[in-house]
Amino acid sequence: MNRLLVVVNVLGKMIAVFGLTMLIPLCLALWLDDGAGWVFQESILVTLSCGLIMWLLTRRYKRELQTRDGFLLVVLIWAVLPAFAMLPFLFCLPDLSLSMAYFEAVSGLTATGGTVLTGLDNLPLSINLWRGEIVWLGGMGLIVLAVAILPLLGVGGRQIFKAETPGPMKESKLTPRIAETAKGLWLIYASLTMVCMLAYRWAGMDWFDAVMHAFTTLGLGGFSSHDASFGYWDSPLIELVAIIFMLIAGINFATHFVAWRAKNFISYRFDPELGWFLFIVLASCLGFALYLWFFNIYTDPLTALRYASFNIISVATTTGYSSTDYSLWPIFIPFWMLFLSAFCTSSGSTGGGIKMMRARILYQQVYRELITMMHPNAVTPAKLGKTVISSRVVFAVLVFIFVYIVSIVLMTLVLTLSGLDEMTAFSAAVACINNLGPGLGGIGPSTTYASLTDFQTWICSFAMLLGRLEFFTLLVVFTPAFWRK
Amino acid sequence: MNRLLVVVNVLGKMIAVFGLTMLIPLCLALWLDDGAGWVFQESILVTLSCGLIMWLLTRRYKRELQTRDGFLLVVLIWAVLPAFAMLPFLFCLPDLSLSMAYFEAVSGLTATGGTVLTGLDNLPLSINLWRGEIVWLGGMGLIVLAVAILPLLGVGGRQIFKAETPGPMKESKLTPRIAETAKGLWLIYASLTMVCMLAYRWAGMDWFDAVMHAFTTLGLGGFSSHDASFGYWDSPLIELVAIIFMLIAGINFATHFVAWRAKNFISYRFDPELGWFLFIVLASCLGFALYLWFFNIYTDPLTALRYASFNIISVATTTGYSSTDYSLWPIFIPFWMLFLSAFCTSSGSTGGGIKMMRARILYQQVYRELITMMHPNAVTPAKLGKTVISSRVVFAVLVFIFVYIVSIVLMTLVLTLSGLDEMTAFSAAVACINNLGPGLGGIGPSTTYASLTDFQTWICSFAMLLGRLEFFTLLVVFTPAFWRK
Ligand SMILES: [K+]
Ligand SMILES: [K+]
C-alpha cells in the first residue's frame, strides 16, 4: 500500500505537468478562435487540480523510487494519463462515449494511432494538434521506457541493453540515471521532429499539417488530420519524406544518440537490429511492388513501387498511415504487412511488436537447437552481434514472444466471442498489440474503430496498453507477490 | 551417402512388409467381390517388388543403426510409405490426381484424417478398409515414434521421457531397445482397438464400420466410411463410445502400458498430462454446451451437450470426426476448438499439436519469468510433476513451440499467396500441422480438401508431415551439417 502512495506522489506531479502541455493547443485554439478554447481551459483546470491534489495528499510518502516501484509507475502512467488526455475529446465532442474517448487517448499515448473519430478534416485544428501532441509526448515516454526503464526492470530480455545505454547509468540511483539518459534522447527526438516538420512543409504540407504529422511520424503514431490519411495529398514527394522519417524513427534512438555524440556514423554499423530491419522492409517493398505490377493492380511499375513502399513501410514500422486502401490488395500482402509489423522495428524506437532484437535471438535459438540435436554435447553460445547473451536473457526473450502470441490468440478469441467477425477480430488484436493502428476488415485503413461496441473498444484499449508495456510490466503488477513486502 | 544406403536397406524391408498388409483389404475385396481385387493385387506386386529390390541392392551396407540414422529413417518412412499406400487409390479411382492420392495416403499414415474423396458411402468397402488400416498402421508407428524414438533423438524436449519409457531401454543398442518397447505398446494398442470395435458393434454399427472406425478412433485419424461422418448414424450411443475411446487414445500409451503391467491405475495418477487434458477438454464441452443452449442454437440442454461434447472432443483430441457442421456455430467456438487441438493431447498418444507436456512447461516458464523479474536472484527450478527439468529441455520445448507457430504463419501465408481465402488458408495450416483433419471455410467438416489446387494439396501434405515429424526431425535432415561425417 505504501508503494502505491509513493508512486501516486510521482504520478501526481506528472499529471500536473501533463496538464500544462495542454497550453499549446489552448494557445492555438485562442489564436484561431476555432471554438475549442473553453475545452482546453476546462481540461487544464481538471488535470492540473487532480495532479496537484494527488501530489499534495501523498507528499509525506515521498522517497527514492526502487526498481519494483518502477513497474507500478510505468503501468499507472500509461493507464491513468489517457483519462486526462481524453478530456478535450469528451468536452469537444459530446456524442463521444467514454470508451471511445479513452481509446483515442490510449491510442495516442501508446503511439498506436488507431482512431475512433471520423470527419477529421472538420475537427477544430486545436483538437487535431492535441491528437498529434499526445502521440509525440507518448513517444518521448516510450523511448525512455525502451532505452532506460525496461532494461533496468529486466522485461523480456531487455537487460542486455543495460550496458549499452548512454550516460553515466550503471549502479547509480534510479531517478537521476533515467533523467540523464532521457535528456540526451529527447534532444535527438526533438531535433529530428523539427527537421521532419521542415521537410514536410518544404514538400507541400501547410504549417499546421507539417507540425501535426511530424509529431505522429517521429512517434510512429499514425494519427492524421485527414480521413484519407496521406491519400489526401496524393503527393509522391510528401510520401518520400514520410518514408525517410518513418525509417529513421524505426531505428534505436540510443544508436542515433551515440552517433550524434561521436559525430560519426560508426554506431549504425554496430547496431545489431538496423541491417536486418532495413533489409527485410526494403526487400518486402521491392517484392510486393513487383507483385502488384505483375498482377496488374498497378499498370505502371513506378506507381506500384510508390504505393507498395509507402504502405508497407508505414505498417512495418507500426506507424499506421496509408495512402490507399491496401486491404483491397490480394490478401497475402496485407497479411505479410501485419507479419512485418510484429517484429521489424528496433528495440529503442517508438515502434511496436516484439522488436527485431528478439526476433534475431529467436531465429538464432532455432539454429542452435538444430545443432544441439545433432551434436548433443556441443556448446554454442548465444550471441547478438559480438555480445554473448546469457541463458537468462534467451529465456526471457522466448517467454516474451510466447506471451505475445498467446495474447494475440486470446484477444482474437475474446473479440470473436463478443460478436466480431474473424478478420476484424484477428487484425484488431494484431494491430492493437503491435501498436500499429489500422487493421483489416471492419477496422481497415479506409475505416475506423468507431463501429466496435463499448466492450470491444475497452478490450482494444487494454490490448494497446498490454503491447506497449511489453506484457510483463502489466502482468507483474497483477501478481500477489508484487504487493508483498 | 553411406548413411542413406544403410537407411534405405531398412526402409526396403519395411516397404515389403507394408506391402503384405495390403493382403487384408485384398481378402475383403475377393470375399465381397467388390471389384477392387485387381487393385490390391497390383498394389501388392508393385510395393513388394520395390521393397525387395531396395533391400537387396543395399544389402551389403547393412549395419547397426546410429542415432543420426534415426532421423533419416523416420523422415523417409513417413515420406515414402505414402507413395505406396496411395497405389490402391490411384488404381481404383482413375480420376484422382497424383497430388490428391498422395495427400490421402499421407493423411492416413500421419493419422490426420483430412480427405480429398467424396462419395465415401459408395466406395468399394475394401478401399475404405484400406483407408482405416493405414490410419491404424500409421498410429502404431506414431506411438513408437513418440514414446521411444523421438525421446532418443532429443526432438523438442522429448528427452525428458527417455527415463520413463518402459522396457530395458537405457544404454543398450538402438534397434533392440525400440523393438522391446514397441511390442508392449502395440499389445495395448491392438487390445484397445479390439475392445473399441466390439463396443461400436454393440452400439449399433455393422461389423465393417465397427472395424474401420475402431481403426481410425484408436489412431485418432478421423477417416470415416460415410460422407456425413458420425452424422450418418445420428446415435448418441455410438457417439458416446467414440468419445470414450477418443479420450483413451488421447492419453500417453506408455501410461496405459505401465498400468497394464502393474495391473493397477496408479500410473494414471502420476501422468503429468492426463489431469490437465481431461480437465480442459471436459470443461470446454460443458462451457460450450451451455453457450449453445443459452444462445438457442440447440433448444434442449442435453442435445447441446451431446453435440458440443462429441465435436469438441473429436477436434481437441485431433481425431477429426464430426456429427454436425460445427463451422456454422458462432465462430468463437470453432476457433476455440482449433486452439484446443493445438495442445491438448498427450505426448505418447497418436494425437497431434504441441502436446500437453510442452504446453505445461511453457505455462510454467511464463510464471518463472514473472518471479525472476521481481526477484532477480531467486532460483526456481523448472519441474514437470515432481521431475526437475534441465534448462536444455526447457529451451528445446520453447524453440519447438516457436517453430510450430512460425510454421502455421508461413503455411497460412503460402496458401493465401496461392489464392486461397484467409479462413480456409489459416484453418488448413492449423488442421494439417496439428494432424487434425477438417478445418473451417472451404475445408470445413461438411466438405473436403478436394477443392484445393495441386500446389495447395502438396503444401498441405508437406504440412502434415512437418507436424507429425515434429518439425526438427524433418528440418535436421535438410541441414548440410547432417550429411557431414
Ligand atoms: K502506430
Ligand atoms: K486426426
Side-chain angles (χ1 to χ4, degrees):
Chain A
M1 206 53 212
N2 248 0
R3 165 162 299 132
L4 188 60
L5 292 171
V6 173
V7 169
V8 165
N9 181 258
V10 182
L11 186 67
K13 208 161 35 175
M14 298 190 72
I15 291 173
V17 174
F18 184 68
L20 294 180
T21 65
M22 292 182 192
L23 287 171
I24 301 172
L26 174 62
C27 291
L28 186 75
L30 296 177
W31 182 41
L32 297 177
D33 196 17
D34 67 359
W38 68 274
V39 163
F40 286 101
Q41 280 165 4
E42 291 199 7
S43 303
I44 292 174
L45 199 70
V46 174
T47 309
L48 254 184
S49 28
C50 283
L52 290 176
I53 289 170
M54 283 164 75
W55 179 56
L56 289 173
L57 286 183
T58 55
R59 219 171 6 161
R60 63 196 180 87
Y61 295 97
K62 192 180 171 185
R63 62 159 164 77
E64 182 66 34
L65 289 183
Q66 295 160 356
T67 309
R68 223 193 273 183
D69 305 325
F71 289 107
L72 191 59
L73 180 61
V74 166
V75 169
L76 287 181
I77 288 175
W78 265 276
V80 173
L81 275 196
F84 296 98
M86 74 178 174
L87 293 177
F89 307 134
L90 274 182
F91 293 154
C92 182
L93 307 160
D95 293 341
L96 205 67
S97 71
L98 189 68
S99 63
M100 288 164 97
Y102 186 78
F103 176 98
E104 191 78 8
V106 168
S107 177
L109 283 165
T110 59
T112 303
T115 186
V116 290
L117 303 178
T118 38
L120 297 174
D121 305 70
N122 303 321
L123 282 183
L125 284 190
S126 55
I127 291 285
N128 268 329
L129 180 67
W130 179 239
R131 291 171 72 233
E133 193 186 327
I134 56 176
V135 170
W136 194 75
L137 292 173
M140 280 179 78
L142 292 172
I143 292 175
V144 174
L145 188 69
V147 175
I149 301 178
L150 294 181
L152 280 178
L153 301 183
V155 171
R158 281 198 183 256
Q159 49 269 49
I160 43 167
F161 285 116
K162 227 194 274 193
E164 294 181 16
T165 38
M169 294 246 327
K170 289 163 221 169
E171 304 313 317
S172 66
K173 286 183 177 163
L174 197 65
T175 327
R177 275 190 276 186
I178 293 175
E180 181 67 21
T181 312
K183 243 185 285 175
L185 294 171
W186 289 345
L187 192 66
I188 305 287
Y189 183 64
S191 315
L192 284 170
T193 309
M194 191 73 78
V195 178
C196 177
M197 180 197 70
L198 294 173
Y200 275 140
R201 179 74 188 92
W202 165 78
M205 286 189 184
D206 65 33
W207 276 111
F208 172 79
D209 276 339
V211 172
M212 150 110 192
H213 288 84
F215 278 165
T216 59
T217 302
L218 263 292
L220 295 177
F223 276 156
S224 174
S225 50
H226 303 287
D227 287 332
S229 192
F230 275 58
Y232 172 81
W233 293 282
D234 195 13
S235 150
L237 193 60
I238 288 182
E239 288 164 26
L240 186 66
V241 171
I243 285 177
I244 291 170
F245 283 93
M246 287 190 287
L247 290 176
I248 289 176
I251 296 171
N252 195 328
F253 274 82
T255 306
H256 289 314
F257 178 78
V258 173
W260 172 78
R261 218 176 31 179
K263 308 220 175 340
N264 62 41
F265 294 99
I266 295 176
S267 65
Y268 293 106
R269 255 185 40 213
F270 292 103
D271 184 315
E273 301 178 294
L274 180 57
W276 289 59
F277 162 56
L278 290 181
F279 175 76
I280 293 177
V281 170
L282 296 180
S284 297
C285 291
L286 212 63
F288 287 121
L290 285 172
Y291 185 98
L292 288 170
W293 176 50
F294 192 78
F295 286 98
N296 260 315
I297 289 146
Y298 298 102
T299 48
D300 167 39
L302 275 180
T303 312
L305 184 64
R306 174 186 158 193
Y307 282 103
S309 303
F310 182 80
N311 292 288
I312 289 172
I313 289 174
S314 164
V315 173
T317 58
T318 72
T319 313
Y321 294 139
S322 60
S323 66
T324 181
D325 188 354
Y326 53 77
S327 68
L328 302 176
W329 292 349
I331 189 68
F332 171 63
I333 306 186
F335 271 12
W336 185 265
M337 288 161 78
L338 287 184
F339 183 56
L340 289 180
S341 79
F343 68 92
C344 277
T345 56
S346 304
S347 41
S349 74
T350 52
I354 62 174
K355 311 289 181 303
M356 185 56 86
M357 175 265 289
R358 296 199 182 92
R360 275 197 64 183
I361 291 177
L362 168 60
Y363 174 79
Q364 192 185 108
Q365 192 59 28
V366 172
Y367 182 78
R368 285 178 70 205
E369 188 60 34
L370 280 171
I371 296 295
T372 320
M373 277 175 60
M374 281 180 290
H375 308 282
N377 303 318
V379 177
T380 40
K383 279 184 176 185
L384 190 69
K386 289 182 176 176
T387 324
V388 174
I389 318 170
S390 68
S391 291
R392 180 72 209 86
V393 168
V394 179
F395 267 133
V397 167
L398 295 182
V399 169
F400 176 90
I401 303 181
F402 273 118
V403 173
Y404 167 84
I405 291 166
V406 169
S407 300
I408 288 179
V409 172
L410 291 184
M411 286 289 160
T412 306
L413 287 171
V414 171
L415 288 174
T416 53
L417 181 60
S418 76
L420 222 51
D421 70 283
E422 63 275 4
M423 185 64 128
T424 308
F426 170 70
S427 67
V430 172
C432 288
I433 287 178
N434 284 348
N435 297 109
L436 162 58
L440 304 170
I443 52 154
S446 68
T447 170
T448 72
Y449 281 78
S451 62
L452 301 192
T453 64
D454 264 8
F455 174 76
Q456 291 160 353
T457 310
W458 287 116
I459 291 290
C460 286
S461 298
F462 178 72
M464 289 188 279
L465 288 174
L466 196 64
R468 198 41 109 175
L469 300 180
E470 307 219 316
F471 311 100
F472 287 94
T473 322
L474 198 55
L475 292 179
V476 143
V477 173
F478 287 110
T479 55
F482 180 82
W483 296 97
R484 270 179 232 132
K485 272 276 163 188
Chain B
M1 206 52 211
N2 250 0
R3 163 161 301 133
L4 188 60
L5 293 169
V6 173
V7 169
V8 166
N9 182 259
V10 183
L11 186 67
K13 207 161 38 175
M14 298 189 73
I15 290 173
V17 174
F18 185 68
L20 294 179
T21 64
M22 292 183 192
L23 288 171
I24 300 171
L26 174 63
C27 291
L28 185 76
L30 295 177
W31 182 41
L32 297 178
D33 196 16
D34 67 359
W38 68 274
V39 163
F40 286 100
Q41 280 164 4
E42 292 200 9
S43 301
I44 292 173
L45 200 70
V46 174
T47 309
L48 254 184
S49 30
C50 283
L52 290 175
I53 290 170
M54 282 165 74
W55 179 55
L56 290 172
L57 285 182
T58 55
R59 217 172 6 163
R60 65 196 178 89
Y61 296 97
K62 191 179 171 184
R63 63 158 164 78
E64 180 66 35
L65 289 183
Q66 294 160 356
T67 309
R68 225 193 272 183
D69 304 326
F71 289 107
L72 191 58
L73 181 61
V74 166
V75 170
L76 286 182
I77 288 175
W78 265 276
V80 173
L81 275 196
F84 296 98
M86 75 177 173
L87 293 177
F89 306 134
L90 272 183
F91 294 154
C92 181
L93 306 161
D95 293 340
L96 205 66
S97 71
L98 189 69
S99 64
M100 287 164 97
Y102 186 78
F103 176 97
E104 191 78 8
V106 169
S107 177
L109 283 166
T110 58
T112 304
T115 185
V116 289
L117 304 178
T118 39
L120 298 174
D121 306 71
N122 303 321
L123 282 183
L125 283 190
S126 55
I127 291 286
N128 267 330
L129 181 67
W130 179 238
R131 290 171 73 234
E133 194 185 328
I134 55 174
V135 169
W136 194 74
L137 293 173
M140 281 179 79
L142 291 173
I143 292 174
V144 175
L145 188 69
V147 175
I149 301 178
L150 293 181
L152 281 178
L153 300 183
V155 171
R158 280 195 184 261
Q159 50 268 49
I160 44 168
F161 286 116
K162 227 194 276 193
E164 294 180 18
T165 38
M169 292 248 324
K170 289 163 222 170
E171 305 312 316
S172 66
K173 284 182 180 166
L174 197 64
T175 327
R177 271 190 279 185
I178 293 175
E180 180 67 22
T181 312
K183 245 185 282 174
L185 294 172
W186 288 343
L187 193 67
I188 305 288
Y189 184 63
S191 317
L192 284 171
T193 309
M194 192 72 79
V195 179
C196 177
M197 180 196 71
L198 294 173
Y200 274 140
R201 180 73 188 91
W202 165 80
M205 285 190 186
D206 66 31
W207 277 111
F208 172 79
D209 276 339
V211 173
M212 151 108 189
H213 288 84
F215 277 165
T216 59
T217 302
L218 263 292
L220 295 177
F223 275 158
S224 174
S225 50
H226 303 286
D227 287 333
S229 191
F230 274 59
Y232 172 81
W233 293 280
D234 196 12
S235 152
L237 194 60
I238 289 183
E239 287 164 26
L240 187 65
V241 171
I243 284 176
I244 291 169
F245 282 92
M246 287 191 287
L247 289 177
I248 289 176
I251 296 171
N252 195 329
F253 274 83
T255 305
H256 290 313
F257 178 79
V258 173
W260 171 79
R261 218 177 31 179
K263 306 212 177 345
N264 63 40
F265 293 98
I266 294 175
S267 65
Y268 294 106
R269 253 186 41 212
F270 291 101
D271 185 316
E273 300 176 295
L274 180 56
W276 288 59
F277 162 55
L278 291 180
F279 174 77
I280 292 176
V281 170
L282 297 179
S284 296
C285 291
L286 211 63
F288 287 122
L290 286 172
Y291 185 99
L292 288 170
W293 176 50
F294 191 79
F295 286 99
N296 260 313
I297 288 145
Y298 298 102
T299 48
D300 169 39
L302 276 178
T303 312
L305 185 63
R306 174 186 158 194
Y307 283 103
S309 302
F310 181 81
N311 293 287
I312 288 171
I313 288 173
S314 164
V315 173
T317 58
T318 72
T319 312
Y321 295 139
S322 59
S323 66
T324 181
D325 187 354
Y326 53 77
S327 68
L328 301 177
W329 291 349
I331 188 68
F332 171 63
I333 306 186
F335 270 12
W336 186 265
M337 290 161 76
L338 288 183
F339 183 55
L340 289 180
S341 78
F343 68 94
C344 277
T345 57
S346 304
S347 40
S349 74
T350 51
I354 62 174
K355 311 288 182 303
M356 185 57 86
M357 175 265 289
R358 296 199 182 92
R360 274 198 63 183
I361 291 178
L362 169 60
Y363 175 79
Q364 191 186 109
Q365 192 59 30
V366 172
Y367 182 77
R368 286 177 70 204
E369 188 61 34
L370 280 172
I371 297 295
T372 321
M373 275 174 62
M374 281 181 291
H375 308 282
N377 302 319
V379 178
T380 40
K383 280 185 176 184
L384 191 68
K386 288 183 176 173
T387 325
V388 173
I389 318 169
S390 68
S391 290
R392 179 71 209 86
V393 168
V394 178
F395 267 132
V397 167
L398 295 183
V399 169
F400 177 90
I401 303 182
F402 272 118
V403 173
Y404 167 83
I405 292 166
V406 169
S407 300
I408 289 180
V409 172
L410 290 183
M411 286 290 162
T412 306
L413 286 172
V414 171
L415 289 174
T416 53
L417 181 59
S418 75
L420 222 52
D421 70 283
E422 63 275 4
M423 185 64 128
T424 309
F426 170 71
S427 67
V430 173
C432 289
I433 286 178
N434 284 348
N435 297 109
L436 162 60
L440 304 171
I443 53 157
S446 68
T447 170
T448 72
Y449 281 78
S451 62
L452 300 193
T453 65
D454 266 7
F455 173 75
Q456 290 160 355
T457 310
W458 287 116
I459 289 289
C460 286
S461 299
F462 178 72
M464 288 189 278
L465 289 174
L466 196 63
R468 197 41 106 176
L469 301 180
E470 307 218 318
F471 311 99
F472 286 96
T473 322
L474 197 56
L475 292 180
V476 142
V477 173
F478 286 111
T479 56
F482 181 82
W483 296 96
R484 271 180 232 132
K485 271 274 164 190

